[in-house]
Amino acid sequence: MKDIQYAGRAIRTSDAAADAVIHYAAVLGANRKTDTVDVPTVDEHGTPTVETLLIGPASEITLSAAPDDDRDRDLDDAAFVEHVRRMADAAGPARPVNEDPDVRQDDYDFD
């Protein structure tokens, strides 16, 4: 489990969901777009719930490993993770926010 640090609080979710959200936030930011996502989470009592996050260029979110506690749950989030990955692909390329327009990624050999 991971905590998404958002708006001054920790939102507990699965590793896969947290990773998908932060990747989508980075893609949206790089492409100057904004969206909301309904993230499957667990509340402070361990009850499954949903948190709606607004993410985009101004988002300030981080991920951290969640402490071991009694809130660890198996979240049914496979459909959510796949949906967010598709949305990230549709939002545009995952490029640096401060990309130099005179330098193309094709100019480098990463292999």
Side-chain angles (χ1 to χ4, degrees), residues 49-64:
T49 187
V50 173
E51 293 271 352
T52 301
L53 307 181
L54 173 65
I55 57 176
S59 295
E60 294 183 11
I61 63 174
T62 62
L63 304 181
S64 59

PDB file of all heavy atoms in Angstrom, residues 49-64:
ATOM      1  N   THR A  49     -13.296   3.068   0.225  1.00  0.00           N
ATOM      2  CA  THR A  49     -14.022   4.270  -0.170  1.00  0.00           C
ATOM      3  C   THR A  49     -13.407   4.809  -1.455  1.00  0.00           C
ATOM      4  O   THR A  49     -12.509   4.192  -2.018  1.00  0.00           O
ATOM      5  CB  THR A  49     -14.007   5.324   0.963  1.00  0.00           C
ATOM      6  OG1 THR A  49     -14.860   6.406   0.616  1.00  0.00           O
ATOM      7  CG2 THR A  49     -12.610   5.828   1.233  1.00  0.00           C
ATOM      8  N   VAL A  50     -13.872   5.930  -1.912  1.00  0.00           N
ATOM      9  CA  VAL A  50     -13.348   6.560  -3.127  1.00  0.00           C
ATOM     10  C   VAL A  50     -13.039   8.016  -2.819  1.00  0.00           C
ATOM     11  O   VAL A  50     -13.831   8.702  -2.170  1.00  0.00           O
ATOM     12  CB  VAL A  50     -14.373   6.471  -4.286  1.00  0.00           C
ATOM     13  CG1 VAL A  50     -13.904   7.257  -5.492  1.00  0.00           C
ATOM     14  CG2 VAL A  50     -14.621   5.017  -4.655  1.00  0.00           C
ATOM     15  N   GLU A  51     -11.891   8.482  -3.275  1.00  0.00           N
ATOM     16  CA  GLU A  51     -11.488   9.887  -3.148  1.00  0.00           C
ATOM     17  C   GLU A  51     -11.369  10.464  -4.554  1.00  0.00           C
ATOM     18  O   GLU A  51     -10.745   9.846  -5.427  1.00  0.00           O
ATOM     19  CB  GLU A  51     -10.131  10.016  -2.462  1.00  0.00           C
ATOM     20  CG  GLU A  51     -10.123   9.594  -1.021  1.00  0.00           C
ATOM     21  CD  GLU A  51     -10.471  10.729  -0.078  1.00  0.00           C
ATOM     22  OE1 GLU A  51     -10.579  11.892  -0.521  1.00  0.00           O
ATOM     23  OE2 GLU A  51     -10.630  10.440   1.115  1.00  0.00           O
ATOM     24  N   THR A  52     -11.948  11.621  -4.775  1.00  0.00           N
ATOM     25  CA  THR A  52     -11.822  12.301  -6.066  1.00  0.00           C
ATOM     26  C   THR A  52     -10.699  13.321  -5.975  1.00  0.00           C
ATOM     27  O   THR A  52     -10.711  14.201  -5.104  1.00  0.00           O
ATOM     28  CB  THR A  52     -13.137  12.999  -6.450  1.00  0.00           C
ATOM     29  OG1 THR A  52     -14.171  12.007  -6.514  1.00  0.00           O
ATOM     30  CG2 THR A  52     -13.004  13.691  -7.805  1.00  0.00           C
ATOM     31  N   LEU A  53      -9.715  13.188  -6.871  1.00  0.00           N
ATOM     32  CA  LEU A  53      -8.568  14.092  -6.895  1.00  0.00           C
ATOM     33  C   LEU A  53      -8.584  14.907  -8.179  1.00  0.00           C
ATOM     34  O   LEU A  53      -8.836  14.373  -9.258  1.00  0.00           O
ATOM     35  CB  LEU A  53      -7.256  13.311  -6.829  1.00  0.00           C
ATOM     36  CG  LEU A  53      -7.077  12.309  -5.689  1.00  0.00           C
ATOM     37  CD1 LEU A  53      -5.696  11.667  -5.782  1.00  0.00           C
ATOM     38  CD2 LEU A  53      -7.282  12.962  -4.347  1.00  0.00           C
ATOM     39  N   LEU A  54      -8.280  16.187  -8.062  1.00  0.00           N
ATOM     40  CA  LEU A  54      -8.078  17.053  -9.218  1.00  0.00           C
ATOM     41  C   LEU A  54      -6.579  17.078  -9.482  1.00  0.00           C
ATOM     42  O   LEU A  54      -5.800  17.464  -8.613  1.00  0.00           O
ATOM     43  CB  LEU A  54      -8.591  18.470  -8.930  1.00  0.00           C
ATOM     44  CG  LEU A  54      -8.305  19.521  -9.991  1.00  0.00           C
ATOM     45  CD1 LEU A  54      -9.047  19.202 -11.289  1.00  0.00           C
ATOM     46  CD2 LEU A  54      -8.702  20.904  -9.479  1.00  0.00           C
ATOM     47  N   ILE A  55      -6.183  16.623 -10.671  1.00  0.00           N
ATOM     48  CA  ILE A  55      -4.750  16.581 -10.991  1.00  0.00           C
ATOM     49  C   ILE A  55      -4.487  17.300 -12.295  1.00  0.00           C
ATOM     50  O   ILE A  55      -5.346  17.375 -13.167  1.00  0.00           O
ATOM     51  CB  ILE A  55      -4.205  15.134 -11.047  1.00  0.00           C
ATOM     52  CG1 ILE A  55      -4.976  14.280 -12.048  1.00  0.00           C
ATOM     53  CG2 ILE A  55      -4.231  14.504  -9.662  1.00  0.00           C
ATOM     54  CD1 ILE A  55      -4.413  12.882 -12.220  1.00  0.00           C
ATOM     55  N   GLY A  56      -3.300  17.852 -12.404  1.00  0.00           N
ATOM     56  CA  GLY A  56      -2.904  18.579 -13.598  1.00  0.00           C
ATOM     57  C   GLY A  56      -1.621  19.341 -13.362  1.00  0.00           C
ATOM     58  O   GLY A  56      -0.850  19.016 -12.457  1.00  0.00           O
ATOM     59  N   PRO A  57      -1.385  20.399 -14.133  1.00  0.00           N
ATOM     60  CA  PRO A  57      -0.121  21.133 -14.055  1.00  0.00           C
ATOM     61  C   PRO A  57       0.197  21.703 -12.672  1.00  0.00           C
ATOM     62  O   PRO A  57       1.355  21.809 -12.296  1.00  0.00           O
ATOM     63  CB  PRO A  57      -0.283  22.249 -15.075  1.00  0.00           C
ATOM     64  CG  PRO A  57      -1.332  21.780 -16.007  1.00  0.00           C
ATOM     65  CD  PRO A  57      -2.236  20.909 -15.196  1.00  0.00           C
ATOM     66  N   ALA A  58      -0.799  22.077 -11.907  1.00  0.00           N
ATOM     67  CA  ALA A  58      -0.555  22.683 -10.602  1.00  0.00           C
ATOM     68  C   ALA A  58      -0.586  21.665  -9.460  1.00  0.00           C
ATOM     69  O   ALA A  58      -0.453  22.038  -8.296  1.00  0.00           O
ATOM     70  CB  ALA A  58      -1.588  23.775 -10.335  1.00  0.00           C
ATOM     71  N   SER A  59      -0.750  20.396  -9.788  1.00  0.00           N
ATOM     72  CA  SER A  59      -0.830  19.374  -8.738  1.00  0.00           C
ATOM     73  C   SER A  59       0.488  19.236  -8.008  1.00  0.00           C
ATOM     74  O   SER A  59       1.554  19.208  -8.618  1.00  0.00           O
ATOM     75  CB  SER A  59      -1.189  18.012  -9.343  1.00  0.00           C
ATOM     76  OG  SER A  59      -2.472  18.043  -9.900  1.00  0.00           O
ATOM     77  N   GLU A  60       0.382  19.150  -6.706  1.00  0.00           N
ATOM     78  CA  GLU A  60       1.542  18.883  -5.867  1.00  0.00           C
ATOM     79  C   GLU A  60       1.249  17.620  -5.083  1.00  0.00           C
ATOM     80  O   GLU A  60       0.714  17.676  -3.976  1.00  0.00           O
ATOM     81  CB  GLU A  60       1.824  20.059  -4.944  1.00  0.00           C
ATOM     82  CG  GLU A  60       2.240  21.313  -5.701  1.00  0.00           C
ATOM     83  CD  GLU A  60       2.584  22.459  -4.780  1.00  0.00           C
ATOM     84  OE1 GLU A  60       2.706  22.259  -3.561  1.00  0.00           O
ATOM     85  OE2 GLU A  60       2.739  23.567  -5.293  1.00  0.00           O
ATOM     86  N   ILE A  61       1.535  16.490  -5.703  1.00  0.00           N
ATOM     87  CA  ILE A  61       1.301  15.214  -5.040  1.00  0.00           C
ATOM     88  C   ILE A  61       2.595  14.428  -4.980  1.00  0.00           C
ATOM     89  O   ILE A  61       3.458  14.563  -5.848  1.00  0.00           O
ATOM     90  CB  ILE A  61       0.192  14.382  -5.731  1.00  0.00           C
ATOM     91  CG1 ILE A  61       0.581  13.996  -7.153  1.00  0.00           C
ATOM     92  CG2 ILE A  61      -1.120  15.121  -5.721  1.00  0.00           C
ATOM     93  CD1 ILE A  61      -0.415  13.063  -7.815  1.00  0.00           C
ATOM     94  N   THR A  62       2.717  13.648  -3.939  1.00  0.00           N
ATOM     95  CA  THR A  62       3.850  12.743  -3.790  1.00  0.00           C
ATOM     96  C   THR A  62       3.313  11.401  -3.318  1.00  0.00           C
ATOM     97  O   THR A  62       2.187  11.307  -2.826  1.00  0.00           O
ATOM     98  CB  THR A  62       4.897  13.266  -2.775  1.00  0.00           C
ATOM     99  OG1 THR A  62       4.281  13.374  -1.495  1.00  0.00           O
ATOM    100  CG2 THR A  62       5.453  14.613  -3.210  1.00  0.00           C
ATOM    101  N   LEU A  63       4.142  10.387  -3.453  1.00  0.00           N
ATOM    102  CA  LEU A  63       3.806   9.047  -2.978  1.00  0.00           C
ATOM    103  C   LEU A  63       4.788   8.647  -1.898  1.00  0.00           C
ATOM    104  O   LEU A  63       5.968   8.998  -1.964  1.00  0.00           O
ATOM    105  CB  LEU A  63       3.882   8.023  -4.109  1.00  0.00           C
ATOM    106  CG  LEU A  63       3.051   8.261  -5.359  1.00  0.00           C
ATOM    107  CD1 LEU A  63       3.248   7.109  -6.335  1.00  0.00           C
ATOM    108  CD2 LEU A  63       1.588   8.446  -5.014  1.00  0.00           C
ATOM    109  N   SER A  64       4.289   7.886  -0.942  1.00  0.00           N
ATOM    110  CA  SER A  64       5.177   7.323   0.074  1.00  0.00           C
ATOM    111  C   SER A  64       4.650   5.945   0.449  1.00  0.00           C
ATOM    112  O   SER A  64       3.454   5.657   0.311  1.00  0.00           O
ATOM    113  CB  SER A  64       5.243   8.230   1.305  1.00  0.00           C
ATOM    114  OG  SER A  64       3.967   8.399   1.874  1.00  0.00           O
TER     115      SER A  64
END
